[in-house]
Amino acid sequence: QVKLLESGGGLVQAGGSLRLSCAASGYTPGGSLSRYYMGWFRQAPGKEREGVASVRPDGTTSYGDSVMGRFTISKDSAKKTLYLQMTSLKPEDSAMYYCAATTTPRGSGSSLDLKFYYNWGLGTLVYVSS
């Protein structure tokens, strides 16, 4: 089973940028992430976990409305690493950010739905100061 480890979180001022990484380890089919649906989610205190961005095996990406145009998801399948480039950060982007992955989607819902994924990392904290 794949294991996911997020990194790159931290404290940044509003308007700044951060790049999150999610490194996969353990068994992955084909030795890469090429067959995986992968996503970034976030959860702020007192709020539900929400989908931020996702990328399908064919490279199709999806973004939540609140991050469209500011965040970019990318995947280096050979390096087994998922990235989230975040720009023009706002205080409301502050949250724990989680990486998720699955080779077989759970159900037929949106790839920005947390129910879509079987595998999760432990998260990395992002705090944006005003």
Side-chain angles (χ1 to χ4, degrees), residues 9-78:
L11 172 64
V12 63
Q13 288 189 331
S17 300
L18 277 176
R19 188 176 80 157
L20 305 183
S21 298
C22 171
S25 62
Y27 172 75
T28 55
S32 73
L33 296 180
S34 62
R35 303 181 192 181
Y36 279 87
Y37 298 79
M38 300 194 75
W40 285 100
F41 290 76
R42 66 186 182 187
Q43 187 167 18
K47 295 188 177 182
E48 293 185 352
R49 191 172 299 190
E50 64 171 348
V52 173
S54 67
V55 57
R56 293 176 171 263
D58 66 0
T60 303
T61 57
S62 299
Y63 295 92
D65 290 342
S66 62
V67 306
M68 186 80 70
R70 299 188 298 123
F71 290 11
T72 303
I73 189 171
S74 61
K75 182 175 67 172
D76 188 325
S77 292

Side-chain angles (χ1 to χ4, degrees), residues 87-103:
T87 63
S88 302
L89 283 162
K90 305 175 181 179
E92 51 264 43
D93 293 319
S94 298
M96 186 72 81
Y97 282 72
Y98 299 91
C99 171
T102 188
T103 54

